[in-house]
Amino acid sequence: MTGRRAALLQGTLDLLILKALAAGELHGLGVSRRIEQITGGTFVVQPGSLFPALHRLEEAGWLAADWQPSENNRRAKYYTLTKAGRRQLGEEKAVWNQIALAIARALEA
Amino acid sequence: MARLVSLWRNLAHRNRVDRELDEELREAFELLVEEKLRSGLAPDAARRAARLELGSVESLKGQVQEARAGAGVDAVLQDVRYALRSLVRAPGFTAVVVVTLALGIGVNTAIFSILNAVLLRPLPFPEPDRIVRLFHVPPQATFPGMARFSLSPANFFDWQRDARSFEGMALYRGRSFTLVGQEEPRAILAAAVGAGFFEILHARPELGRVFRADEDTPAARVVVVSHGFWKTRLGGAPDVLARSLKLNGEPYAIVGVMPQTFSLGSWFAASREIWVPLALSDAERAVRENHNEQAIARLAPGATLAQGLSELEVISKRLEQEHPQENAGWGATLAPLRDVIVGDVRPTLVLLLAAVGLVLLVACANVGNLLFTRALGRRKELATRAALGAGRVRVFQQLLIEALVLACAGGAAGVLLAYASLRAFAAMLADQVPRADEIRMDLRVLAFALAASILTGLLAGALPAFRAGRAELTDALKEGGRGDSALGIRTRRLLVVCEVALSVVLLMGAAVMLRSLVALRTVDAGFDSQGVLTMRVSLPDTRYPKPAQRTAFFDTALERLRALPGVTAAGAIDDLPLMGGSVQPIVVEGRPELLPRDQPTVQVRALTPGYLRAMSIPVVRGRDVEPGDVEVLLVSRGAATLLWGDGDPIGQRVTLPLVSRTLARQVVGIVADVKQDGVTERPQPTVYSYTRERSSARLTLVARTSLPPGSLAPVAVGVIRALDPEQPVQEVRTMVEVRDALLSSQRLSALLLGLFAALALALATVGIYSVLSYIVRGRSREIGIRSALGAQSRDVVRMVVREGMTPALVGIAAGTLAALLASLSLERLVFGVSASDPLTLTAVGSLLAIVALLASLVPAYRAARVAPSTALRD
């Protein structure tokens, strides 16, 4: 895998995680399921990519985490979008739209 | 900012962070299981499916940890701890590596300490870079190749008056006094300094004051003493400024004490025990044609060296025109004081540093080999770590960190080693290297040692770490314990080649220095130094004001010396051969007088009858000087050719204008050539004068004896004491000692280079041995099969020896090439032997071949003894 492609995928993953959490707090597995759901099953995020990304985004200050009772009444780590995260989501969305538009135009040309 | 907080949290509360991660991932697993259960799977199948989807929790943890802030720092700390633990578990390996590196880094640190003190540390005066020495540039026709010459007083005072780029200029020279006090008479070394000397150095006295400008007159009787003189000779008396010293029989008032920090051992003007005003008379200040003075100056603030130089050049051009008779061809130059003090040793020190650098490289190669063996032996462990989620980079990093930990331990031990040996080094260097008294460890030395350690660790560790990290990890697991057979043999061969090549270069350097030293010791300087005792006597003019008194003193002294049992001849001269001395223009009577710049110059010495016989310098034609002569000259063969060509000098008359323009003296004999300026110089044309009634005040007496000359010393000194109990005798040495003292720096570099080369050779031997042992061990199965198939033990020995000798021979060839290249830089430092001497090269190559053979034989015989059954069973 070349560095550039990895970077692109990573950027996409970050965007998807931020978007998945925009609707409300979720635990790690929930994020994965939510992404699967909103992309209509196109993206299935592997745990090997998901958890490192969650921790990275948390450390960047875009996600906050706290421990709450889960559906089965045990403790789970729930992630929420911070203010900075919401701003970041807006920026990444804009960038993504630009790219998508540009690529669509390029393909139609 | 958020990342910084995370970094802090990750590093400071690592346990909690890890626990939480663990919990998060386990919870994710449980949630996944429930999800599977809900979709209708049986509990067992649900858990299996969940595990399959999530992957191993451990490896997932590893991936998250690597994404976290400070993952690098964290991993390094972890690796350092891990390395320490595993090194402690292998004490033998650790000890060998640490000792090897301690030797390598230790010698480097020691040599760098010397280099630091001598070449890098500034002189102990404020703004030392602005302090310069001033010189004449002599006319090259008469002084070929000589770039710096002492100053004439009149020219100096013209420079001082006219130059604007300097804050100040001052003359100084060495002087010796006889100090009479409560103890026996002692010759005391002083520096006579012109007005402004201390001010130029920005040096302040510890007590009292330095000289006032109006004290630079012949009538002044004032003295400044050194801290050491005050403490030891005057007992640190608090009323020192109220005391006086009796120098040459006259009282000198002590006006100041210079502080300890002023003493700069390697520059006589700052290291002498006392200072007196130079106090030139008006007549002496007007002398323009005689060049005997030393001068320092300080550049004015803002003025550069180049500005100072060009200003001096302009002034001396003008002086050439104003005083063509004396100044034609005499230019000016200057150089930073530090360069003048340390100039000569720079190449030697750089050579030594290069040599210890090579030693360190050999040590690196050895350690690299050991690390490689260890890394391969641990392939299973590494493969297991990799399987548990450590990436290849991480394995590489861990091996490298282990090498760095070892290198730092070696470096620390090396610093201790250097620290312990520094005193011995400094003592050994004291007489040969300027500023040796300043050698000590400082922050720069420690920084150097740290840098050397890190570099060593990277160098020794990178190759093994890279090779072992690259080895297919799964293969290692599959193979089990067996079969590290042929792994990395090529790498090891390369290490042997490097070690041998480096050793060849070092041994070559040492051998060439040694041969050069032998050549210097045995070179014919024109006299026989065996069986000769020398001692210097300087009669103070206060007690021997009349020439006749001096003549009487020396005549009697020599007579009594000759009467001693065992003494076969005795005489005296002002400057011994090899020590340099007066160089003067000479004029042959009856020839038109030339400008000073075009006059031929000769070495001029004053001798007494008996000197030539005592030194075994043959008279070639004519006769020696005799006690009955009044004013006669001898010329050396070279001087005869220079002045008369094929003509006969005997009976000719010459004048030495610097002595007297009117006194023409007759040549009575021609003597053999003698080296006057040093063993490496050619013999210079020399004129020896004998003036019965005007004996010099300062002469060196020489006596030839059939007994060991050293044993004559006490009686010889006794002769002088009996004549004058207040007269000190200096430098009582045999002529062999005089000669050897001149070679001490060559001896030292030969000794040190030899030491370093031996160290490198020992390391290389160990290296070859351990590489071959490893190869033999790895191939014991193959050897067993060969033996089982009927190979003789002779064949096995031959095979193993070939395995060792091939890289050794390649190394010898490569090293010889490198030595030839290195010899280009060595050529300037050796004498009487070419740095690329084929005989030396062959000898060094053979020595290494023999050593490599011996190092190969032990593993070879061990291999030959391998029983086929054991090898096959293992």
Side-chain angles (χ1 to χ4, degrees):
Chain A
M1 206 191 288
T2 66
R4 187 171 305 176
R5 208 169 140 215
L8 180 65
L9 284 176
Q10 193 179 53
T12 318
L13 179 61
D14 289 0
L15 176 60
L16 288 172
I17 291 174
L18 293 174
K19 175 67 191 167
L21 286 168
E25 59 180 18
L26 290 167
H27 54 65
L29 200 64
V31 173
S32 163
R33 294 290 172 260
R34 177 94 179 128
I35 290 175
E36 215 176 314
Q37 186 193 346
I38 57 179
T39 60
T42 311
F43 284 96
V44 179
V45 186
Q46 295 302 320
S49 312
L50 177 73
F51 284 99
L54 284 172
H55 281 255
R56 196 161 34 73
L57 295 180
E58 185 191 348
E59 287 183 351
W62 296 333
L63 304 185
D66 59 356
W67 293 85
Q68 294 177 17
S70 61
E71 299 109 75
N72 55 12
N73 277 330
R74 279 201 305 267
R75 250 158 58 96
K77 193 178 177 188
Y78 279 83
Y79 293 90
T80 48
L81 218 51
T82 62
K83 233 189 212 161
R86 224 167 269 287
R87 221 171 22 244
Q88 181 68 18
L89 174 60
E91 277 169 33
E92 294 212 359
K93 241 178 180 163
V95 171
W96 180 258
N97 285 336
Q98 240 175 334
I99 293 174
L101 202 65
I103 295 214
R105 261 196 214 129
L107 293 179
E108 279 165 22
Chain B
M1 187 58 213
R3 279 192 79 79
L4 274 182
V5 173
S6 317
L7 177 64
W8 168 247
R9 193 196 55 193
N10 289 345
L11 294 180
H13 308 288
R14 185 142 42 90
N15 286 341
R16 206 189 67 209
V17 172
D18 276 354
R19 235 183 6 255
E20 286 186 0
L21 175 61
D22 212 50
E23 197 179 337
E24 178 184 9
L25 295 174
R26 284 191 200 292
E27 184 53 32
F29 176 72
E30 294 301 333
L31 287 168
L32 197 55
V33 172
E34 277 169 36
E35 200 182 279
K36 302 289 178 201
L37 285 173
R38 273 199 302 278
S39 70
L41 285 177
D44 270 5
R47 294 193 86 80
R48 207 162 37 239
R51 193 166 296 135
L52 210 61
E53 188 175 330
L54 200 62
S56 119
V57 170
E58 282 307 310
S59 100
L60 205 51
K61 245 174 96 175
Q63 283 165 315
V64 174
Q65 275 163 350
E66 274 174 33
R68 275 204 312 228
V73 184
D74 198 31
V76 166
L77 288 177
Q78 207 179 329
D79 283 349
V80 168
R81 264 193 303 273
Y82 185 82
L84 285 174
R85 266 205 309 276
S86 72
L87 289 175
V88 167
R89 276 202 304 271
F93 165 83
T94 308
V96 169
V97 170
V98 169
V99 166
T100 307
L101 290 178
L103 283 174
I105 297 173
V107 290
N108 274 275
T109 307
I111 293 296
F112 182 80
S113 307
I114 297 168
L115 194 112
N116 179 42
V118 177
L119 297 183
L120 301 182
R121 214 168 6 207
L123 297 179
F125 306 117
E127 291 183 69
D129 294 342
R130 312 195 68 79
I131 306 173
V132 294
R133 288 275 318 266
L134 308 179
F135 302 97
H136 269 309
V137 178
Q140 291 300 299
T142 35
F143 297 94
M146 196 173 277
R148 294 170 179 171
F149 211 91
S150 306
L151 304 182
S152 84
N155 285 340
F156 168 81
F157 289 113
D158 285 344
W159 294 1
Q160 192 185 40
R161 191 192 56 225
D162 296 341
R164 293 282 161 268
S165 327
F166 299 90
E167 201 177 289
M169 289 184 188
L171 291 179
Y172 65 93
R173 66 159 82 132
R175 222 182 133 178
S176 95
F177 287 100
T178 306
L179 174 70
V180 191
Q182 54 279 62
E183 320 148 42
E184 66 174 37
R186 191 167 79 90
I188 183 169
L189 291 177
V193 299
F197 176 83
F198 292 107
E199 288 80 357
I200 286 169
L201 298 174
H202 287 185
R204 291 211 177 75
E206 174 178 2
L207 288 175
R209 58 176 177 86
V210 295
F211 303 126
R212 291 191 307 259
D214 63 5
E215 283 170 334
D216 195 16
T217 56
R221 289 291 177 267
V222 285
V223 60
V224 168
V225 303
S226 72
H227 180 89
F229 186 87
W230 174 45
K231 284 292 177 201
T232 57
R233 298 282 152 190
L234 303 173
D239 65 338
V240 55
L241 297 179
R243 294 198 182 185
S244 62
L245 295 180
K246 203 167 179 200
L247 301 172
N248 286 1
E250 290 184 86
Y252 280 65
I254 299 176
V255 298
V257 177
M258 291 310 285
Q260 182 85 65
T261 48
F262 179 74
S263 204
L264 176 58
S266 44
W267 186 40
F268 82 85
S271 66
R272 298 235 154 151
E273 293 177 282
I274 59 173
W275 293 268
V276 294
L278 179 62
L280 295 181
S281 66
D282 288 344
E284 286 169 321
R285 293 168 81 95
V287 170
R288 199 174 287 280
E289 72 277 17
N290 211 339
H291 308 86
N292 286 321
E293 306 296 334
Q294 323 263 331
I296 53 162
R298 182 182 278 271
L299 289 167
T304 64
L305 213 59
Q307 282 167 354
L309 176 62
S310 65
E311 195 179 12
L312 287 184
E313 281 172 340
V314 168
I315 296 172
S316 52
K317 274 273 181 307
R318 202 192 67 222
L319 291 176
E320 278 191 69
Q321 284 156 8
E322 288 173 8
H323 309 279
Q325 181 63 30
E326 298 93 344
N327 268 10
W330 289 85
T333 188
L334 53 78
L337 177 60
R338 188 173 70 174
D339 291 2
V340 179
I341 291 175
V342 303
D344 293 347
V345 293
R346 187 184 301 265
T348 308
L349 285 182
V350 170
L351 174 76
L352 288 179
L353 193 66
V356 289
L358 294 185
V359 171
L360 187 56
L361 283 179
V362 175
C364 266
N366 263 10
V367 170
N369 174 44
L370 289 171
L371 284 173
F372 193 29
T373 306
R374 179 172 153 84
L376 290 181
R378 286 163 66 197
R379 269 180 311 154
K380 249 175 93 171
E381 172 204 332
L382 297 176
T384 313
R385 279 172 66 92
L388 288 177
R392 186 164 293 174
V393 175
R394 192 65 202 282
V395 170
F396 176 79
Q397 177 186 320
Q398 188 213 322
L399 289 173
L400 203 56
I401 281 175
E402 191 176 289
L404 282 172
V405 167
L406 279 168
C408 286
V415 167
L416 289 180
L417 193 71
Y419 185 76
S421 61
L422 216 50
R423 202 177 281 270
F425 263 120
M428 208 154 71
L429 293 168
D431 300 332
Q432 286 100 52
V433 175
R435 310 190 71 190
D437 53 325
E438 298 173 65
I439 295 172
R440 60 187 59 96
M441 280 203 177
D442 58 10
L443 275 180
R444 188 153 28 185
V445 172
L446 292 179
F448 170 86
L450 182 67
S453 305
I454 291 176
L455 209 66
T456 306
L458 291 178
L459 210 59
L463 187 67
F466 179 70
R467 291 283 282 108
R470 206 179 59 178
E472 272 313 317
L473 295 165
T474 43
D475 288 354
L477 281 179
K478 262 189 301 207
E479 270 180 58
R482 242 178 228 175
D484 43 13
S485 57
L487 250 173
I489 283 189
R490 247 190 321 176
T491 314
R492 281 154 205 284
R493 281 192 193 127
L494 192 66
L495 288 176
V496 171
V497 168
C498 291
E499 279 182 282
V500 171
L502 291 169
S503 305
V504 167
V505 174
L506 269 176
L507 278 171
M508 186 65 198
V512 166
M513 288 309 255
L514 199 69
R515 292 197 57 194
S516 160
L517 182 66
V518 171
L520 283 169
R521 286 202 67 176
T522 51
V523 69
D524 180 12
F527 59 91
D528 178 12
S529 48
Q530 300 293 328
V532 176
L533 181 75
T534 75
M535 57 188 180
R536 208 172 78 207
V537 175
S538 305
L539 300 176
D541 3 315
T542 41
R543 302 182 54 246
Y544 295 87
K546 291 187 193 130
Q549 292 172 304
R550 305 200 281 263
T551 306
F553 180 94
F554 284 118
D555 279 355
T556 322
L558 288 173
E559 237 164 73
R560 295 193 186 170
L561 274 181
R562 287 180 195 119
L564 292 176
V567 173
T568 55
I573 193 160
D574 50 357
D575 287 299
L576 285 172
L578 308 178
M579 306 296 277
S582 177
V583 176
Q584 300 179 20
I586 187 166
V587 177
V588 177
E589 202 181 52
R591 296 190 192 167
E593 193 175 333
L594 304 165
L595 277 182
R597 140 173 83 181
D598 300 321
Q599 284 167 359
T601 60
V602 290
Q603 300 266 350
V604 178
R605 299 288 180 273
L607 50 55
T608 69
Y611 169 79
L612 293 177
R613 255 182 307 132
M615 295 292 280
S616 298
I617 299 169
V619 176
V620 184
R621 259 169 56 68
R623 61 172 180 86
D624 192 354
V625 295
E626 286 161 9
D629 289 327
V630 182
E631 292 273 7
V632 291
L633 290 180
L634 300 171
V635 296
S636 72
R637 214 198 280 257
T641 314
L642 173 76
L643 298 171
W644 289 278
D646 295 334
D648 187 1
I650 293 182
Q652 300 275 336
R653 296 162 71 81
V654 298
T655 53
L656 298 167
L658 293 187
V659 178
S660 163
R661 292 189 171 280
T662 50
L663 176 69
R665 287 180 280 190
Q666 194 171 34
V667 177
V668 297
I670 304 178
V671 302
D673 284 325
V674 169
K675 295 190 173 187
Q676 303 289 8
D677 270 355
V679 247
T680 57
E681 307 289 325
R682 289 167 188 288
Q684 287 90 5
T686 307
V687 168
Y688 301 92
S689 68
Y690 173 51
T691 310
R692 169 146 180 77
E693 294 308 327
R694 288 189 297 113
S695 182
S696 324
R698 179 184 63 84
L699 284 179
T700 298
L701 308 185
V702 298
R704 175 165 292 280
T705 160
S706 48
L707 306 169
S711 69
L712 187 67
V715 255
V717 173
V719 165
I720 306 295
R721 280 270 183 285
L723 267 173
D724 180 352
E726 290 198 0
Q727 176 57 47
V729 181
Q730 293 163 271
E731 296 183 11
V732 185
R733 296 187 290 177
T734 70
M735 197 60 211
V736 172
E737 286 168 347
V738 171
R739 234 183 122 149
D740 278 356
L742 292 172
L743 297 179
S744 53
S745 78
Q746 282 95 337
R747 184 175 11 247
L748 189 73
S749 31
L751 179 75
L752 288 180
L753 266 186
L755 195 72
F756 300 151
L759 194 56
L761 185 64
L763 288 173
T765 312
V766 172
I768 297 171
Y769 171 80
S770 66
V771 163
L772 269 189
S773 302
Y774 173 83
I775 293 177
V776 167
R777 213 176 326 127
R779 289 173 65 176
S780 58
R781 225 133 76 94
E782 176 199 336
I783 293 169
I785 293 170
R786 282 177 189 245
S787 315
L789 293 177
Q792 301 289 307
S793 58
R794 200 171 355 121
D795 302 325
V796 174
V797 169
R798 197 177 299 138
M799 183 188 88
V800 175
V801 166
R802 195 183 304 127
E803 187 74 56
M805 288 307 283
T806 314
L809 289 176
V810 174
I812 290 172
T816 306
L817 274 179
L820 284 175
L821 282 177
S823 71
L824 296 177
S825 61
L826 211 58
E827 209 72 63
R828 270 188 318 143
L829 296 171
V830 299
F831 170 84
V833 51
S834 161
S836 54
D837 178 48
L839 185 66
T840 316
L841 273 179
T842 317
V844 167
S846 318
L847 174 65
L848 264 166
I850 292 168
V851 167
L853 186 66
L854 292 177
S856 313
L857 279 175
V858 180
Y861 278 108
R862 199 178 303 146
R865 279 209 317 271
V866 170
S869 50
T870 352
L872 291 173
R873 201 173 44 235
D874 275 351

